[in-house]
Short mmCIF file of all heavy atoms in Angstrom, two decimals:
data_model
loop_
_atom_site.label_atom_id
_atom_site.label_comp_id
_atom_site.label_asym_id
_atom_site.label_seq_id
_atom_site.Cartn_x
_atom_site.Cartn_y
_atom_site.Cartn_z
N SER A 144 40.41 10.26 -25.14
CA SER A 144 39.80 9.10 -25.79
C SER A 144 38.45 8.80 -25.16
O SER A 144 38.28 8.93 -23.95
CB SER A 144 40.70 7.87 -25.65
OG SER A 144 41.95 8.09 -26.26
N ALA A 145 37.49 8.38 -25.98
CA ALA A 145 36.17 7.97 -25.48
C ALA A 145 36.16 6.46 -25.30
O ALA A 145 36.76 5.73 -26.08
CB ALA A 145 35.09 8.40 -26.46
N PHE A 146 35.48 5.99 -24.25
CA PHE A 146 35.37 4.57 -23.94
C PHE A 146 33.91 4.26 -23.60
O PHE A 146 33.48 4.47 -22.48
CB PHE A 146 36.28 4.18 -22.77
CG PHE A 146 37.75 4.29 -23.07
CD1 PHE A 146 38.43 5.46 -22.81
CD2 PHE A 146 38.44 3.22 -23.62
CE1 PHE A 146 39.79 5.57 -23.08
CE2 PHE A 146 39.80 3.32 -23.91
CZ PHE A 146 40.47 4.50 -23.64
N ALA A 147 33.17 3.77 -24.58
CA ALA A 147 31.74 3.49 -24.39
C ALA A 147 31.55 2.39 -23.35
O ALA A 147 32.29 1.41 -23.30
CB ALA A 147 31.12 3.06 -25.71
N GLY A 148 30.55 2.59 -22.48
CA GLY A 148 30.19 1.59 -21.49
C GLY A 148 31.04 1.57 -20.24
O GLY A 148 30.85 0.72 -19.37
N LEU A 149 31.99 2.50 -20.15
CA LEU A 149 32.88 2.55 -18.99
C LEU A 149 32.62 3.83 -18.19
O LEU A 149 32.30 4.86 -18.76
CB LEU A 149 34.34 2.52 -19.41
CG LEU A 149 34.81 1.29 -20.20
CD1 LEU A 149 36.28 1.43 -20.57
CD2 LEU A 149 34.59 0.01 -19.41
N ASP A 150 32.75 3.74 -16.89
CA ASP A 150 32.74 4.92 -16.03
C ASP A 150 34.18 5.21 -15.64
O ASP A 150 34.96 4.29 -15.36
CB ASP A 150 31.88 4.67 -14.78
CG ASP A 150 30.40 4.65 -15.11
OD1 ASP A 150 29.98 5.43 -15.99
OD2 ASP A 150 29.67 3.87 -14.49
N ARG A 151 34.51 6.50 -15.62
CA ARG A 151 35.91 6.90 -15.38
C ARG A 151 36.03 7.78 -14.15
O ARG A 151 35.16 8.60 -13.86
CB ARG A 151 36.45 7.65 -16.60
CG ARG A 151 36.48 6.81 -17.85
CD ARG A 151 37.03 7.55 -19.04
NE ARG A 151 38.45 7.80 -18.88
CZ ARG A 151 39.22 8.35 -19.82
NH1 ARG A 151 38.69 8.70 -20.99
NH2 ARG A 151 40.49 8.55 -19.61
N SER A 152 37.14 7.60 -13.45
CA SER A 152 37.55 8.48 -12.35
C SER A 152 38.98 8.87 -12.63
O SER A 152 39.78 8.04 -13.08
CB SER A 152 37.48 7.75 -11.00
OG SER A 152 36.19 7.31 -10.72
N ALA A 153 39.31 10.12 -12.38
CA ALA A 153 40.68 10.60 -12.60
C ALA A 153 41.11 11.43 -11.40
O ALA A 153 40.33 12.25 -10.89
CB ALA A 153 40.76 11.43 -13.88
N VAL A 154 42.34 11.21 -10.95
CA VAL A 154 42.92 11.95 -9.84
C VAL A 154 44.24 12.54 -10.30
O VAL A 154 45.07 11.82 -10.87
CB VAL A 154 43.16 11.05 -8.61
CG1 VAL A 154 43.84 11.82 -7.48
CG2 VAL A 154 41.86 10.43 -8.11
N MET A 155 44.43 13.84 -10.07
CA MET A 155 45.70 14.46 -10.43
C MET A 155 46.79 13.98 -9.46
O MET A 155 46.64 14.10 -8.25
CB MET A 155 45.61 15.98 -10.40
CG MET A 155 46.94 16.65 -10.78
SD MET A 155 46.85 18.45 -10.79
CE MET A 155 46.19 18.72 -12.42
#
Side-chain angles (χ1 to χ4, degrees):
S144 299
F146 293 91
L149 300 178
D150 288 324
R151 298 181 69 175
S152 300
V154 177
M155 180 179 276

